[in-house]
Amino acid sequence: MMNLLKKIIYILTVCFLVSCNSNTSIQEYFVNAKDNDKLIGLDIDPGMFVSLKEGASQESVDVLASIGKVNIVAYRLTETDSISKAKVDFYTTERLKIKEVIKNNDLESLFKFNSKEKSVSLLYKESGSELIDEVIVFAYDDTMGFVLVRVTGDNIDPAKIIKVMNSKEFDVSEGKIKDLIKKVM
Amino acid sequence: MKTIYTLIVLIFAPFLVSSQSVFDEFENDDEVMSVVVTQKAFKLMSRFAPKGDKETMEYFEVIDQLNDLKVYVTKNTKTSDKMKLVAEKYISSKKLVQLMRMKEDKKNVMIYVKEGVNDDYVEELLMFIWNKGDGSQRQGIIVSLTGNIDLNKISALTSHMNIPGSEYLNNAKKNK
C-alpha cells in the first residue's frame, strides 16, 4: 500500500515538474518580469480610471466587472541618444522570449502585422461563444522598444462593451491616466 | 489493432485540418511586410457593429462573411520573384479562375477567384501584383481573401481598409 502511494506521488511530481518546465505561461512571464529592473511593469485596475455614474444600469456594472486587470510590460530603447549594444541585445532576447511565450500559450490570433523592424500582434482567448477571457497585444519597433499588454477578464462581451460605451453611464478620470503616464515615462 | 489506427488518426488529424497556408513562409521573411487578419477577428468585429447608417451596416455584413485576409508586400527582387512562383503554383493547384489580368508598363495585376454560390459571390479571391521594374519600382504584392465574398461590395471595404490594389478590384467587378 505504502509502495503504491509512493509511486503515485512520484508520478504526480514528475508530471507536475514536466508540465511546469515545458512552457512559461503568460502569467509566469509577467510575474518574472516584475523582478526585472530593466523592464517597465505596470498593473492597472480599470476601476481606477473608470467609475460608473449614479443610476447606471446593471448591464454597465456587469461589463465593468467582467474586465479584470490590465498588465503591461514594456522596454524602451530610446532613453539616451545612443543605444548601447547591451540594450539592443537585451531587447532582442526579451522580444524573442515573449514571442515564444505567446506561441506556446494556445491563443487565438486576431491580427498580425509584420515588417522588417516593426510588428504588432493581437491575440485572445475565448471563453465560449464569442466571449473573451484574455486579450494580448504585443508590439515592437526595433528603434523604440516593445510593449506587451495583457487584459484578463471573465466572459468579456465585446458587443456589450460597445453598448455601454455608447450609453455614457460612466466617467473616465483623465487626470489619473495622465498621472500614470507621467510616472512611467 | 483498430485502437492503434484510431489513435494515429486522432494524433494526426489536427495537423491535417490546420494545414499551413503556402503563403505563411512570407510572414517570417524580413523583406516582407505582412498583415494577417483571421476569421475570429472578423467575427468579433461584426459583433462591434454599431446600429447606424446603412453604409456602415453593409460594411459589417461583408466583414461577418470573411474568413481570412492576408496581405504580403515586398520590394525585394528575390522575394518578389519567389512570390510570383508561389502564387502561380497556388493558383494552378487550387484551380482558381482568372477574373482579371492587367498589364501596364512593367506592372502586372492578376486577380483570381474560386467561384461561389452565384455570380456575385466568390469563396476565395487572390490578387497578385508584380512589378518587374528596377530599383524602387520593383514590387510584389499578394492579397488573399477567403470566405463568402460579395464582389459588388468587397472593393469598397478593401479600399476602406487601405489594402493595396483595391482600385483593381473595383475594375474587376465591372469587367465581369
PDB file of all heavy atoms in Angstrom, chain A residues 108-116 124 126 129-132 157-159 161-162, chain B residues 27-28 30-38 40-41 43-44 47-50:
ATOM      1  N   GLU A 108      -5.604  32.471 -29.667  1.00  0.00           N
ATOM      2  CA  GLU A 108      -6.170  32.606 -30.992  1.00  0.00           C
ATOM      3  C   GLU A 108      -5.697  33.937 -31.583  1.00  0.00           C
ATOM      4  O   GLU A 108      -5.832  34.968 -30.951  1.00  0.00           O
ATOM      5  CB  GLU A 108      -7.681  32.602 -30.838  1.00  0.00           C
ATOM      6  CG  GLU A 108      -8.450  32.265 -32.024  1.00  0.00           C
ATOM      7  CD  GLU A 108      -8.819  30.800 -32.144  1.00  0.00           C
ATOM      8  OE1 GLU A 108      -9.335  30.214 -31.189  1.00  0.00           O
ATOM      9  OE2 GLU A 108      -8.598  30.307 -33.229  1.00  0.00           O
ATOM     10  N   SER A 109      -5.132  33.874 -32.785  1.00  0.00           N
ATOM     11  CA  SER A 109      -4.648  35.119 -33.388  1.00  0.00           C
ATOM     12  C   SER A 109      -5.794  35.888 -34.029  1.00  0.00           C
ATOM     13  O   SER A 109      -6.676  35.318 -34.652  1.00  0.00           O
ATOM     14  CB  SER A 109      -3.593  34.798 -34.442  1.00  0.00           C
ATOM     15  OG  SER A 109      -3.330  35.941 -35.204  1.00  0.00           O
ATOM     16  N   LEU A 110      -5.783  37.185 -33.842  1.00  0.00           N
ATOM     17  CA  LEU A 110      -6.802  38.024 -34.459  1.00  0.00           C
ATOM     18  C   LEU A 110      -6.199  38.849 -35.580  1.00  0.00           C
ATOM     19  O   LEU A 110      -6.731  38.944 -36.669  1.00  0.00           O
ATOM     20  CB  LEU A 110      -7.411  38.980 -33.424  1.00  0.00           C
ATOM     21  CG  LEU A 110      -8.291  38.373 -32.361  1.00  0.00           C
ATOM     22  CD1 LEU A 110      -8.699  39.439 -31.367  1.00  0.00           C
ATOM     23  CD2 LEU A 110      -9.522  37.752 -32.977  1.00  0.00           C
ATOM     24  N   PHE A 111      -5.069  39.448 -35.275  1.00  0.00           N
ATOM     25  CA  PHE A 111      -4.460  40.361 -36.227  1.00  0.00           C
ATOM     26  C   PHE A 111      -2.953  40.304 -36.058  1.00  0.00           C
ATOM     27  O   PHE A 111      -2.444  40.222 -34.948  1.00  0.00           O
ATOM     28  CB  PHE A 111      -4.969  41.774 -35.948  1.00  0.00           C
ATOM     29  CG  PHE A 111      -4.271  42.834 -36.745  1.00  0.00           C
ATOM     30  CD1 PHE A 111      -4.672  43.115 -38.039  1.00  0.00           C
ATOM     31  CD2 PHE A 111      -3.206  43.536 -36.202  1.00  0.00           C
ATOM     32  CE1 PHE A 111      -4.016  44.082 -38.778  1.00  0.00           C
ATOM     33  CE2 PHE A 111      -2.549  44.508 -36.934  1.00  0.00           C
ATOM     34  CZ  PHE A 111      -2.958  44.782 -38.228  1.00  0.00           C
ATOM     35  N   LYS A 112      -2.270  40.341 -37.172  1.00  0.00           N
ATOM     36  CA  LYS A 112      -0.822  40.311 -37.119  1.00  0.00           C
ATOM     37  C   LYS A 112      -0.278  41.255 -38.171  1.00  0.00           C
ATOM     38  O   LYS A 112      -0.710  41.243 -39.316  1.00  0.00           O
ATOM     39  CB  LYS A 112      -0.341  38.893 -37.435  1.00  0.00           C
ATOM     40  CG  LYS A 112       0.522  38.312 -36.358  1.00  0.00           C
ATOM     41  CD  LYS A 112       1.117  36.973 -36.723  1.00  0.00           C
ATOM     42  CE  LYS A 112       0.225  35.985 -37.383  1.00  0.00           C
ATOM     43  NZ  LYS A 112       0.843  34.698 -37.663  1.00  0.00           N
ATOM     44  N   PHE A 113       0.630  42.093 -37.770  1.00  0.00           N
ATOM     45  CA  PHE A 113       1.327  42.922 -38.747  1.00  0.00           C
ATOM     46  C   PHE A 113       2.817  42.690 -38.551  1.00  0.00           C
ATOM     47  O   PHE A 113       3.311  42.725 -37.426  1.00  0.00           O
ATOM     48  CB  PHE A 113       0.991  44.402 -38.532  1.00  0.00           C
ATOM     49  CG  PHE A 113       1.912  45.330 -39.276  1.00  0.00           C
ATOM     50  CD1 PHE A 113       1.699  45.619 -40.613  1.00  0.00           C
ATOM     51  CD2 PHE A 113       3.016  45.890 -38.646  1.00  0.00           C
ATOM     52  CE1 PHE A 113       2.562  46.449 -41.302  1.00  0.00           C
ATOM     53  CE2 PHE A 113       3.887  46.724 -39.325  1.00  0.00           C
ATOM     54  CZ  PHE A 113       3.662  47.009 -40.662  1.00  0.00           C
ATOM     55  N   ASN A 114       3.511  42.442 -39.630  1.00  0.00           N
ATOM     56  CA  ASN A 114       4.943  42.177 -39.544  1.00  0.00           C
ATOM     57  C   ASN A 114       5.682  42.956 -40.610  1.00  0.00           C
ATOM     58  O   ASN A 114       5.241  42.999 -41.751  1.00  0.00           O
ATOM     59  CB  ASN A 114       5.217  40.689 -39.815  1.00  0.00           C
ATOM     60  CG  ASN A 114       5.408  39.930 -38.535  1.00  0.00           C
ATOM     61  OD1 ASN A 114       5.942  40.455 -37.567  1.00  0.00           O
ATOM     62  ND2 ASN A 114       4.950  38.699 -38.533  1.00  0.00           N
ATOM     63  N   SER A 115       6.797  43.550 -40.250  1.00  0.00           N
ATOM     64  CA  SER A 115       7.691  44.082 -41.269  1.00  0.00           C
ATOM     65  C   SER A 115       9.101  43.956 -40.725  1.00  0.00           C
ATOM     66  O   SER A 115       9.311  43.373 -39.670  1.00  0.00           O
ATOM     67  CB  SER A 115       7.341  45.524 -41.626  1.00  0.00           C
ATOM     68  OG  SER A 115       7.752  46.375 -40.584  1.00  0.00           O
ATOM     69  N   LYS A 116      10.041  44.524 -41.439  1.00  0.00           N
ATOM     70  CA  LYS A 116      11.430  44.321 -41.078  1.00  0.00           C
ATOM     71  C   LYS A 116      11.717  44.700 -39.623  1.00  0.00           C
ATOM     72  O   LYS A 116      12.343  43.954 -38.892  1.00  0.00           O
ATOM     73  CB  LYS A 116      12.321  45.133 -42.016  1.00  0.00           C
ATOM     74  CG  LYS A 116      13.694  44.558 -42.167  1.00  0.00           C
ATOM     75  CD  LYS A 116      14.406  45.231 -43.324  1.00  0.00           C
ATOM     76  CE  LYS A 116      15.730  44.572 -43.618  1.00  0.00           C
ATOM     77  NZ  LYS A 116      16.333  45.093 -44.838  1.00  0.00           N
ATOM     78  N   TYR A 124      -6.156  36.528 -28.594  1.00  0.00           N
ATOM     79  CA  TYR A 124      -7.099  36.456 -27.491  1.00  0.00           C
ATOM     80  C   TYR A 124      -7.438  35.020 -27.141  1.00  0.00           C
ATOM     81  O   TYR A 124      -7.136  34.082 -27.881  1.00  0.00           O
ATOM     82  CB  TYR A 124      -8.343  37.274 -27.792  1.00  0.00           C
ATOM     83  CG  TYR A 124      -9.423  36.557 -28.557  1.00  0.00           C
ATOM     84  CD1 TYR A 124     -10.715  36.492 -28.065  1.00  0.00           C
ATOM     85  CD2 TYR A 124      -9.160  35.959 -29.783  1.00  0.00           C
ATOM     86  CE1 TYR A 124     -11.724  35.859 -28.763  1.00  0.00           C
ATOM     87  CE2 TYR A 124     -10.159  35.328 -30.486  1.00  0.00           C
ATOM     88  CZ  TYR A 124     -11.432  35.273 -29.975  1.00  0.00           C
ATOM     89  OH  TYR A 124     -12.422  34.630 -30.665  1.00  0.00           O
ATOM     90  N   GLU A 126     -10.706  32.730 -26.008  1.00  0.00           N
ATOM     91  CA  GLU A 126     -12.157  32.749 -25.965  1.00  0.00           C
ATOM     92  C   GLU A 126     -12.646  31.911 -24.791  1.00  0.00           C
ATOM     93  O   GLU A 126     -12.069  30.881 -24.485  1.00  0.00           O
ATOM     94  CB  GLU A 126     -12.676  32.143 -27.264  1.00  0.00           C
ATOM     95  CG  GLU A 126     -13.924  32.772 -27.799  1.00  0.00           C
ATOM     96  CD  GLU A 126     -14.340  32.119 -29.102  1.00  0.00           C
ATOM     97  OE1 GLU A 126     -14.217  30.887 -29.216  1.00  0.00           O
ATOM     98  OE2 GLU A 126     -14.772  32.831 -30.005  1.00  0.00           O
ATOM     99  N   SER A 129     -18.851  31.129 -26.612  1.00  0.00           N
ATOM    100  CA  SER A 129     -19.220  31.682 -27.897  1.00  0.00           C
ATOM    101  C   SER A 129     -19.009  33.189 -27.889  1.00  0.00           C
ATOM    102  O   SER A 129     -19.779  33.936 -27.309  1.00  0.00           O
ATOM    103  CB  SER A 129     -20.668  31.340 -28.217  1.00  0.00           C
ATOM    104  OG  SER A 129     -21.473  31.793 -27.158  1.00  0.00           O
ATOM    105  N   GLU A 130     -17.952  33.587 -28.518  1.00  0.00           N
ATOM    106  CA  GLU A 130     -17.639  34.996 -28.760  1.00  0.00           C
ATOM    107  C   GLU A 130     -17.526  35.839 -27.498  1.00  0.00           C
ATOM    108  O   GLU A 130     -17.723  37.040 -27.523  1.00  0.00           O
ATOM    109  CB  GLU A 130     -18.653  35.605 -29.739  1.00  0.00           C
ATOM    110  CG  GLU A 130     -18.416  35.076 -31.132  1.00  0.00           C
ATOM    111  CD  GLU A 130     -19.562  35.350 -32.077  1.00  0.00           C
ATOM    112  OE1 GLU A 130     -20.680  35.598 -31.604  1.00  0.00           O
ATOM    113  OE2 GLU A 130     -19.338  35.310 -33.289  1.00  0.00           O
ATOM    114  N   LEU A 131     -17.213  35.186 -26.384  1.00  0.00           N
ATOM    115  CA  LEU A 131     -16.902  35.933 -25.169  1.00  0.00           C
ATOM    116  C   LEU A 131     -15.405  35.800 -24.917  1.00  0.00           C
ATOM    117  O   LEU A 131     -14.810  34.781 -25.242  1.00  0.00           O
ATOM    118  CB  LEU A 131     -17.694  35.397 -23.974  1.00  0.00           C
ATOM    119  CG  LEU A 131     -19.210  35.513 -24.094  1.00  0.00           C
ATOM    120  CD1 LEU A 131     -19.878  34.873 -22.897  1.00  0.00           C
ATOM    121  CD2 LEU A 131     -19.632  36.969 -24.214  1.00  0.00           C
ATOM    122  N   ILE A 132     -14.833  36.825 -24.314  1.00  0.00           N
ATOM    123  CA  ILE A 132     -13.377  36.869 -24.215  1.00  0.00           C
ATOM    124  C   ILE A 132     -12.905  36.762 -22.775  1.00  0.00           C
ATOM    125  O   ILE A 132     -13.455  37.395 -21.882  1.00  0.00           O
ATOM    126  CB  ILE A 132     -12.870  38.198 -24.820  1.00  0.00           C
ATOM    127  CG1 ILE A 132     -13.364  38.331 -26.270  1.00  0.00           C
ATOM    128  CG2 ILE A 132     -11.353  38.255 -24.791  1.00  0.00           C
ATOM    129  CD1 ILE A 132     -13.197  39.720 -26.813  1.00  0.00           C
ATOM    130  N   ASP A 157     -17.821  40.582 -23.049  1.00  0.00           N
ATOM    131  CA  ASP A 157     -18.649  40.572 -24.249  1.00  0.00           C
ATOM    132  C   ASP A 157     -18.407  41.851 -25.054  1.00  0.00           C
ATOM    133  O   ASP A 157     -18.815  42.933 -24.640  1.00  0.00           O
ATOM    134  CB  ASP A 157     -20.122  40.472 -23.842  1.00  0.00           C
ATOM    135  CG  ASP A 157     -21.014  40.273 -25.047  1.00  0.00           C
ATOM    136  OD1 ASP A 157     -20.575  40.596 -26.161  1.00  0.00           O
ATOM    137  OD2 ASP A 157     -22.148  39.790 -24.867  1.00  0.00           O
ATOM    138  N   PRO A 158     -17.750  41.745 -26.200  1.00  0.00           N
ATOM    139  CA  PRO A 158     -17.417  42.948 -26.965  1.00  0.00           C
ATOM    140  C   PRO A 158     -18.646  43.754 -27.362  1.00  0.00           C
ATOM    141  O   PRO A 158     -18.617  44.985 -27.347  1.00  0.00           O
ATOM    142  CB  PRO A 158     -16.692  42.415 -28.208  1.00  0.00           C
ATOM    143  CG  PRO A 158     -16.862  40.954 -28.209  1.00  0.00           C
ATOM    144  CD  PRO A 158     -17.211  40.526 -26.828  1.00  0.00           C
ATOM    145  N   ALA A 159     -19.730  43.049 -27.671  1.00  0.00           N
ATOM    146  CA  ALA A 159     -20.939  43.768 -28.086  1.00  0.00           C
ATOM    147  C   ALA A 159     -21.461  44.645 -26.955  1.00  0.00           C
ATOM    148  O   ALA A 159     -21.903  45.769 -27.170  1.00  0.00           O
ATOM    149  CB  ALA A 159     -22.002  42.776 -28.525  1.00  0.00           C
ATOM    150  N   ILE A 161     -19.665  45.875 -24.471  1.00  0.00           N
ATOM    151  CA  ILE A 161     -18.743  46.980 -24.208  1.00  0.00           C
ATOM    152  C   ILE A 161     -19.120  48.186 -25.065  1.00  0.00           C
ATOM    153  O   ILE A 161     -19.202  49.313 -24.582  1.00  0.00           O
ATOM    154  CB  ILE A 161     -17.287  46.544 -24.472  1.00  0.00           C
ATOM    155  CG1 ILE A 161     -16.846  45.582 -23.360  1.00  0.00           C
ATOM    156  CG2 ILE A 161     -16.361  47.762 -24.523  1.00  0.00           C
ATOM    157  CD1 ILE A 161     -15.418  45.172 -23.428  1.00  0.00           C
ATOM    158  N   ILE A 162     -19.369  47.921 -26.337  1.00  0.00           N
ATOM    159  CA  ILE A 162     -19.769  48.995 -27.248  1.00  0.00           C
ATOM    160  C   ILE A 162     -21.048  49.656 -26.752  1.00  0.00           C
ATOM    161  O   ILE A 162     -21.174  50.882 -26.717  1.00  0.00           O
ATOM    162  CB  ILE A 162     -20.001  48.429 -28.672  1.00  0.00           C
ATOM    163  CG1 ILE A 162     -18.684  47.922 -29.244  1.00  0.00           C
ATOM    164  CG2 ILE A 162     -20.618  49.483 -29.580  1.00  0.00           C
ATOM    165  CD1 ILE A 162     -17.695  48.999 -29.555  1.00  0.00           C
TER     166      ILE A 162
ATOM    167  N   GLU B  27       5.500  35.415 -43.936  1.00  0.00           N
ATOM    168  CA  GLU B  27       5.298  36.139 -42.686  1.00  0.00           C
ATOM    169  C   GLU B  27       6.595  36.341 -41.914  1.00  0.00           C
ATOM    170  O   GLU B  27       6.769  37.315 -41.212  1.00  0.00           O
ATOM    171  CB  GLU B  27       4.305  35.384 -41.799  1.00  0.00           C
ATOM    172  CG  GLU B  27       2.899  35.866 -41.951  1.00  0.00           C
ATOM    173  CD  GLU B  27       1.945  35.000 -41.175  1.00  0.00           C
ATOM    174  OE1 GLU B  27       2.087  34.928 -39.956  1.00  0.00           O
ATOM    175  OE2 GLU B  27       1.058  34.386 -41.801  1.00  0.00           O
ATOM    176  N   ASN B  28       7.480  35.358 -42.021  1.00  0.00           N
ATOM    177  CA  ASN B  28       8.730  35.448 -41.272  1.00  0.00           C
ATOM    178  C   ASN B  28       9.880  35.981 -42.105  1.00  0.00           C
ATOM    179  O   ASN B  28      11.023  35.981 -41.667  1.00  0.00           O
ATOM    180  CB  ASN B  28       9.087  34.076 -40.703  1.00  0.00           C
ATOM    181  CG  ASN B  28       8.013  33.579 -39.769  1.00  0.00           C
ATOM    182  OD1 ASN B  28       7.508  34.334 -38.949  1.00  0.00           O
ATOM    183  ND2 ASN B  28       7.628  32.329 -39.904  1.00  0.00           N
ATOM    184  N   ASP B  30      12.031  38.792 -43.545  1.00  0.00           N
ATOM    185  CA  ASP B  30      12.340  40.169 -43.163  1.00  0.00           C
ATOM    186  C   ASP B  30      12.038  41.180 -44.262  1.00  0.00           C
ATOM    187  O   ASP B  30      11.806  42.358 -43.991  1.00  0.00           O
ATOM    188  CB  ASP B  30      13.820  40.278 -42.774  1.00  0.00           C
ATOM    189  CG  ASP B  30      14.011  40.197 -41.273  1.00  0.00           C
ATOM    190  OD1 ASP B  30      12.987  40.103 -40.571  1.00  0.00           O
ATOM    191  OD2 ASP B  30      15.166  40.227 -40.830  1.00  0.00           O
ATOM    192  N   GLU B  31      12.061  40.720 -45.484  1.00  0.00           N
ATOM    193  CA  GLU B  31      11.863  41.640 -46.605  1.00  0.00           C
ATOM    194  C   GLU B  31      10.385  41.871 -46.911  1.00  0.00           C
ATOM    195  O   GLU B  31      10.050  42.604 -47.825  1.00  0.00           O
ATOM    196  CB  GLU B  31      12.547  41.077 -47.863  1.00  0.00           C
ATOM    197  CG  GLU B  31      14.051  40.917 -47.741  1.00  0.00           C
ATOM    198  CD  GLU B  31      14.746  42.259 -47.543  1.00  0.00           C
ATOM    199  OE1 GLU B  31      14.194  43.284 -47.967  1.00  0.00           O
ATOM    200  OE2 GLU B  31      15.841  42.260 -46.951  1.00  0.00           O
ATOM    201  N   VAL B  32       9.537  41.196 -46.156  1.00  0.00           N
ATOM    202  CA  VAL B  32       8.111  41.280 -46.458  1.00  0.00           C
ATOM    203  C   VAL B  32       7.353  42.002 -45.360  1.00  0.00           C
ATOM    204  O   VAL B  32       7.583  41.765 -44.177  1.00  0.00           O
ATOM    205  CB  VAL B  32       7.504  39.860 -46.630  1.00  0.00           C
ATOM    206  CG1 VAL B  32       6.008  39.935 -46.906  1.00  0.00           C
ATOM    207  CG2 VAL B  32       8.207  39.111 -47.743  1.00  0.00           C
ATOM    208  N   MET B  33       6.485  42.899 -45.772  1.00  0.00           N
ATOM    209  CA  MET B  33       5.556  43.493 -44.828  1.00  0.00           C
ATOM    210  C   MET B  33       4.261  42.693 -44.927  1.00  0.00           C
ATOM    211  O   MET B  33       3.743  42.521 -46.024  1.00  0.00           O
ATOM    212  CB  MET B  33       5.303  44.953 -45.199  1.00  0.00           C
ATOM    213  CG  MET B  33       4.508  45.710 -44.161  1.00  0.00           C
ATOM    214  SD  MET B  33       3.427  46.921 -44.914  1.00  0.00           S
ATOM    215  CE  MET B  33       2.044  45.917 -45.380  1.00  0.00           C
ATOM    216  N   SER B  34       3.795  42.165 -43.821  1.00  0.00           N
ATOM    217  CA  SER B  34       2.613  41.311 -43.906  1.00  0.00           C
ATOM    218  C   SER B  34       1.525  41.741 -42.937  1.00  0.00           C
ATOM    219  O   SER B  34       1.800  42.275 -41.864  1.00  0.00           O
ATOM    220  CB  SER B  34       2.992  39.855 -43.646  1.00  0.00           C
ATOM    221  OG  SER B  34       3.331  39.684 -42.291  1.00  0.00           O
ATOM    222  N   VAL B  35       0.301  41.518 -43.348  1.00  0.00           N
ATOM    223  CA  VAL B  35      -0.852  41.746 -42.472  1.00  0.00           C
ATOM    224  C   VAL B  35      -1.733  40.509 -42.559  1.00  0.00           C
ATOM    225  O   VAL B  35      -2.061  40.061 -43.655  1.00  0.00           O
ATOM    226  CB  VAL B  35      -1.661  42.985 -42.900  1.00  0.00           C
ATOM    227  CG1 VAL B  35      -2.934  43.113 -42.056  1.00  0.00           C
ATOM    228  CG2 VAL B  35      -0.845  44.256 -42.775  1.00  0.00           C
ATOM    229  N   VAL B  36      -2.074  39.928 -41.424  1.00  0.00           N
ATOM    230  CA  VAL B  36      -2.950  38.764 -41.405  1.00  0.00           C
ATOM    231  C   VAL B  36      -4.094  39.024 -40.448  1.00  0.00           C
ATOM    232  O   VAL B  36      -3.886  39.338 -39.284  1.00  0.00           O
ATOM    233  CB  VAL B  36      -2.183  37.494 -40.963  1.00  0.00           C
ATOM    234  CG1 VAL B  36      -3.133  36.316 -40.826  1.00  0.00           C
ATOM    235  CG2 VAL B  36      -1.068  37.166 -41.939  1.00  0.00           C
ATOM    236  N   VAL B  37      -5.303  38.948 -40.960  1.00  0.00           N
ATOM    237  CA  VAL B  37      -6.489  39.104 -40.106  1.00  0.00           C
ATOM    238  C   VAL B  37      -7.261  37.793 -40.168  1.00  0.00           C
ATOM    239  O   VAL B  37      -7.532  37.282 -41.255  1.00  0.00           O
ATOM    240  CB  VAL B  37      -7.382  40.268 -40.584  1.00  0.00           C
ATOM    241  CG1 VAL B  37      -8.504  40.522 -39.587  1.00  0.00           C
ATOM    242  CG2 VAL B  37      -6.579  41.539 -40.780  1.00  0.00           C
ATOM    243  N   THR B  38      -7.584  37.223 -39.017  1.00  0.00           N
ATOM    244  CA  THR B  38      -8.233  35.909 -39.001  1.00  0.00           C
ATOM    245  C   THR B  38      -9.752  36.009 -38.942  1.00  0.00           C
ATOM    246  O   THR B  38     -10.309  37.069 -38.663  1.00  0.00           O
ATOM    247  CB  THR B  38      -7.762  35.098 -37.789  1.00  0.00           C
ATOM    248  OG1 THR B  38      -8.170  35.794 -36.612  1.00  0.00           O
ATOM    249  CG2 THR B  38      -6.258  34.926 -37.779  1.00  0.00           C
ATOM    250  N   LYS B  40     -11.697  34.826 -36.735  1.00  0.00           N
ATOM    251  CA  LYS B  40     -12.127  35.201 -35.386  1.00  0.00           C
ATOM    252  C   LYS B  40     -12.224  36.721 -35.262  1.00  0.00           C
ATOM    253  O   LYS B  40     -13.124  37.249 -34.620  1.00  0.00           O
ATOM    254  CB  LYS B  40     -11.138  34.679 -34.350  1.00  0.00           C
ATOM    255  CG  LYS B  40     -11.200  33.188 -34.170  1.00  0.00           C
ATOM    256  CD  LYS B  40     -12.316  32.821 -33.218  1.00  0.00           C
ATOM    257  CE  LYS B  40     -12.405  31.317 -33.066  1.00  0.00           C
ATOM    258  NZ  LYS B  40     -13.670  30.888 -32.480  1.00  0.00           N
ATOM    259  N   ALA B  41     -11.258  37.409 -35.848  1.00  0.00           N
ATOM    260  CA  ALA B  41     -11.245  38.864 -35.769  1.00  0.00           C
ATOM    261  C   ALA B  41     -12.440  39.457 -36.511  1.00  0.00           C
ATOM    262  O   ALA B  41     -13.083  40.389 -36.022  1.00  0.00           O
ATOM    263  CB  ALA B  41      -9.945  39.409 -36.345  1.00  0.00           C
ATOM    264  N   LYS B  43     -15.252  38.004 -37.083  1.00  0.00           N
ATOM    265  CA  LYS B  43     -16.474  37.687 -36.325  1.00  0.00           C
ATOM    266  C   LYS B  43     -16.621  38.647 -35.136  1.00  0.00           C
ATOM    267  O   LYS B  43     -17.707  39.139 -34.863  1.00  0.00           O
ATOM    268  CB  LYS B  43     -16.422  36.247 -35.817  1.00  0.00           C
ATOM    269  CG  LYS B  43     -16.640  35.222 -36.925  1.00  0.00           C
ATOM    270  CD  LYS B  43     -18.123  34.969 -37.155  1.00  0.00           C
ATOM    271  CE  LYS B  43     -18.377  33.994 -38.303  1.00  0.00           C
ATOM    272  NZ  LYS B  43     -18.420  34.628 -39.627  1.00  0.00           N
ATOM    273  N   LEU B  44     -15.498  38.900 -34.452  1.00  0.00           N
ATOM    274  CA  LEU B  44     -15.545  39.823 -33.313  1.00  0.00           C
ATOM    275  C   LEU B  44     -15.895  41.227 -33.777  1.00  0.00           C
ATOM    276  O   LEU B  44     -16.697  41.923 -33.162  1.00  0.00           O
ATOM    277  CB  LEU B  44     -14.207  39.846 -32.591  1.00  0.00           C
ATOM    278  CG  LEU B  44     -13.963  38.759 -31.555  1.00  0.00           C
ATOM    279  CD1 LEU B  44     -12.574  38.912 -30.971  1.00  0.00           C
ATOM    280  CD2 LEU B  44     -14.989  38.852 -30.428  1.00  0.00           C
ATOM    281  N   ARG B  47     -19.364  41.809 -34.271  1.00  0.00           N
ATOM    282  CA  ARG B  47     -20.102  41.968 -33.018  1.00  0.00           C
ATOM    283  C   ARG B  47     -20.050  43.406 -32.511  1.00  0.00           C
ATOM    284  O   ARG B  47     -20.864  43.835 -31.724  1.00  0.00           O
ATOM    285  CB  ARG B  47     -19.539  41.035 -31.933  1.00  0.00           C
ATOM    286  CG  ARG B  47     -20.009  39.617 -32.079  1.00  0.00           C
ATOM    287  CD  ARG B  47     -19.798  38.858 -30.810  1.00  0.00           C
ATOM    288  NE  ARG B  47     -20.566  39.383 -29.698  1.00  0.00           N
ATOM    289  CZ  ARG B  47     -21.564  38.746 -29.116  1.00  0.00           C
ATOM    290  NH1 ARG B  47     -21.928  37.580 -29.551  1.00  0.00           N
ATOM    291  NH2 ARG B  47     -22.182  39.268 -28.100  1.00  0.00           N
ATOM    292  N   PHE B  48     -19.018  44.114 -32.950  1.00  0.00           N
ATOM    293  CA  PHE B  48     -18.880  45.518 -32.563  1.00  0.00           C
ATOM    294  C   PHE B  48     -19.757  46.427 -33.436  1.00  0.00           C
ATOM    295  O   PHE B  48     -19.727  47.628 -33.287  1.00  0.00           O
ATOM    296  CB  PHE B  48     -17.427  45.973 -32.700  1.00  0.00           C
ATOM    297  CG  PHE B  48     -16.552  45.577 -31.548  1.00  0.00           C
ATOM    298  CD1 PHE B  48     -15.599  44.592 -31.699  1.00  0.00           C
ATOM    299  CD2 PHE B  48     -16.681  46.206 -30.333  1.00  0.00           C
ATOM    300  CE1 PHE B  48     -14.779  44.230 -30.636  1.00  0.00           C
ATOM    301  CE2 PHE B  48     -15.871  45.853 -29.267  1.00  0.00           C
ATOM    302  CZ  PHE B  48     -14.917  44.869 -29.419  1.00  0.00           C
ATOM    303  N   ALA B  49     -20.470  45.820 -34.348  1.00  0.00           N
ATOM    304  CA  ALA B  49     -21.226  46.601 -35.325  1.00  0.00           C
ATOM    305  C   ALA B  49     -22.168  47.593 -34.666  1.00  0.00           C
ATOM    306  O   ALA B  49     -22.990  47.222 -33.845  1.00  0.00           O
ATOM    307  CB  ALA B  49     -22.011  45.663 -36.222  1.00  0.00           C
ATOM    308  N   PRO B  50     -22.024  48.845 -35.011  1.00  0.00           N
ATOM    309  CA  PRO B  50     -22.950  49.829 -34.463  1.00  0.00           C
ATOM    310  C   PRO B  50     -24.258  49.799 -35.254  1.00  0.00           C
ATOM    311  O   PRO B  50     -24.257  49.484 -36.439  1.00  0.00           O
ATOM    312  CB  PRO B  50     -22.212  51.146 -34.705  1.00  0.00           C
ATOM    313  CG  PRO B  50     -21.337  50.895 -35.882  1.00  0.00           C
ATOM    314  CD  PRO B  50     -21.065  49.424 -35.954  1.00  0.00           C
TER     315      PRO B  50
END
